[in-house]
Amino acid sequence: MTAGEERDHRLRKQAALISVLVGFGMLALKTTAYFLTHSAAILSDALESIVHVFATSIALYSIVVSSRPADESHPYGHGKVEFFSAGLEGGLIVVAAFAIMYAAIRDLIFGRELVDLDVGMLFILVASVVNLLLGWFLITRGRATDSLTLVADGKHVLTDSYTSFGVVAGLGLVYLTGIKILDPLVAIAVAINILFSGYKLMRVSVGGLMDESDRETLVRFNDVVKRARTPEWINLHHLRIMRSGRMHNLDFHLIIPFYWSVEEAHTFQGHVVKKIAKEFQNNATVLIHLDPCIEKYCPSCGVDPCRKRKVQLIRQEEWTINAMIGDPPFIIDGDERDTIAQHIGDNSEDHSKGTKP
């Protein structure tokens, strides 16, 4: 692990620990507010905080596990535990939402006496502000250290904060108007809001565990290619990107001049791998399948000079994301494969005589 990776890991673990400690504090504050007021809306907020404490504890564990290097049993590292953590957090949020709905509907049917609403609202308002600051801190730290877990936790905390502000507003109406039915109605509205939040987290988790295409990473790779590409990058296709925590595993086919020797192709491949890894701050493993060019690529090939060229360059096409993840524009048929093999054989003879192709 490099010095930068150790620093990022330390910062991620520090942020997750802060989240756990603050979560316990907010849970104590909201629970106290509930016992003072007997409000269904405040109970809903307290139940959400219970979920937050469990979720942040899981997040801290996942950050510790995800920092472990790749080994024989986990050749791509342990980063995907972050997707599992986000999914579990989303699932807990959904469970809390249904628990809140149950309590609110019960109070809506049977009613409940509310007391000390002014003190309860003050407690929840303080919790709202603290969670707002914590959520902003976690998202900022998560993006800076490329941690899905911290970003997910931060979004959850922000949702908790917005929920608390909503509870304060609802209880304020109850306090001013005396319409007690507003309390369970606010609780139901809170439950629906966090239900959507839980669904979104679970959706991100399932997508990551199923190696769903990450549009943001594809756009980033496209930008990298635009900066790093040279004329010898004749065509790039069959791009596949799998994310494991902060690591990106990239796999693609790259078409290069067919007449290059194995040594030249291998050297070129090494340069390409280094360029791409550097653009991803060395948080990427790159596997390149080299394919030989064919005559049909000549009109869009910018290699110059090229004494094997059959058709003059017309225009070197700009690669799009769809083109890079799709099939190559041309397929090598049997005759072209024989021609390439013959040229490669001729090229080998030239090298044996000490001449450059």
Side-chain angles (χ1 to χ4, degrees), residues 54 62 78 89 97 138 170 298:
F54 276 107
S62 74
H78 300 76
E89 184 169 354
L138 291 173
C298 287

Side-chain angles (χ1 to χ4, degrees), residues 1 3 6-7 55-56 71 80 89 91 105 116 118 152 167 179 196 209 224 246 270 289 324 339 344:
M1 187 181 291
E6 288 181 355
R7 183 194 67 247
T56 51
D71 53 33
K80 283 206 171 184
E89 184 169 354
I105 292 172
D116 294 329
D118 51 350
V167 167
I179 304 175
F196 278 107
L209 292 172
V224 168
R246 65 186 309 196
H289 305 263
M324 288 191 290
T339 302
I344 291 175

Side-chain angles (χ1 to χ4, degrees), residues 19-31 53 127:
S19 183
V20 171
L21 296 176
V22 173
F24 274 107
M26 295 303 97
L27 175 59
L29 194 63
K30 292 177 182 180
T31 302
V53 169

Side-chain angles (χ1 to χ4, degrees), residues 116 132-133 141 169 316 333:
D116 294 329
L132 186 67
L133 296 175
R141 179 65 61 84
Q316 192 170 18
D333 59 28

Side-chain angles (χ1 to χ4, degrees), residues 58-238:
I58 295 168
L60 178 59
Y61 171 75
S62 74
I63 285 174
V64 172
V65 172
S66 66
S67 67
R68 296 173 183 170
D71 53 33
E72 290 184 2
S73 58
H74 299 85
Y76 290 102
H78 300 76
K80 283 206 171 184
V81 70
E82 295 201 12
F83 289 116
F84 174 77
S85 171
L88 189 54
E89 184 169 354
L92 289 172
I93 291 174
V94 170
V95 171
F98 283 113
I100 292 167
M101 286 184 183
Y102 170 78
I105 292 172
R106 182 192 59 197
D107 287 358
L108 195 61
I109 295 172
F110 300 105
R112 181 182 287 266
E113 186 65 28
L114 302 177
V115 293
D116 294 329
L117 282 183
D118 51 350
V119 178
M121 285 190 293
L122 179 61
F123 280 19
I124 300 301
L125 184 60
V126 171
S128 303
V129 174
V130 171
N131 276 337
L132 186 67
L133 296 175
L134 177 62
W136 173 82
F137 165 72
L138 291 173
I139 291 175
T140 302
R141 179 65 61 84
R143 288 174 176 167
T145 59
D146 202 15
S147 172
L148 172 66
T149 298
L150 286 182
V151 172
D153 196 25
K155 289 180 178 179
H156 178 195
V157 172
L158 283 183
T159 299
D160 192 11
S161 175
Y162 302 150
T163 297
S164 298
F165 280 120
V167 167
V168 171
L171 291 179
L173 289 175
V174 175
Y175 185 76
L176 293 173
T177 65
I179 304 175
K180 296 180 180 179
I181 197 175
L182 290 175
D183 178 55
L185 290 177
V186 168
I188 291 173
V190 167
I192 293 173
N193 179 53
I194 67 173
L195 189 62
F196 278 107
S197 175
Y199 165 76
K200 289 178 182 178
L201 279 178
M202 292 176 69
R203 179 68 184 82
V204 170
S205 172
V206 170
L209 292 172
M210 294 293 291
D211 294 326
E212 183 179 38
S213 177
D214 182 355
R215 187 72 184 179
E216 182 180 342
T217 305
L218 287 172
V219 171
R220 183 179 177 186
F221 180 80
N222 194 27
D223 292 338
V224 168
V225 166
K226 288 179 180 179
R227 291 192 297 271
R229 184 184 179 187
T230 63
E232 292 77 17
W233 297 37
I234 298 173
N235 182 268
L236 190 154
H237 55 274
H238 288 166

Side-chain angles (χ1 to χ4, degrees), residues 271-292:
H271 289 322
V272 173
V273 168
K274 288 181 181 178
K275 280 185 178 180
I276 295 175
K278 183 179 179 181
E279 291 283 353
F280 278 86
Q281 288 77 50
N282 291 319
N283 293 322
T285 59
V286 186
L287 177 61
I288 304 176
H289 305 263
L290 297 179
D291 296 331

Side-chain angles (χ1 to χ4, degrees), residues 43-54:
L43 175 61
S44 69
D45 211 10
L47 287 174
E48 221 276 335
S49 288
I50 293 175
V51 172
H52 172 66
V53 169
F54 276 107

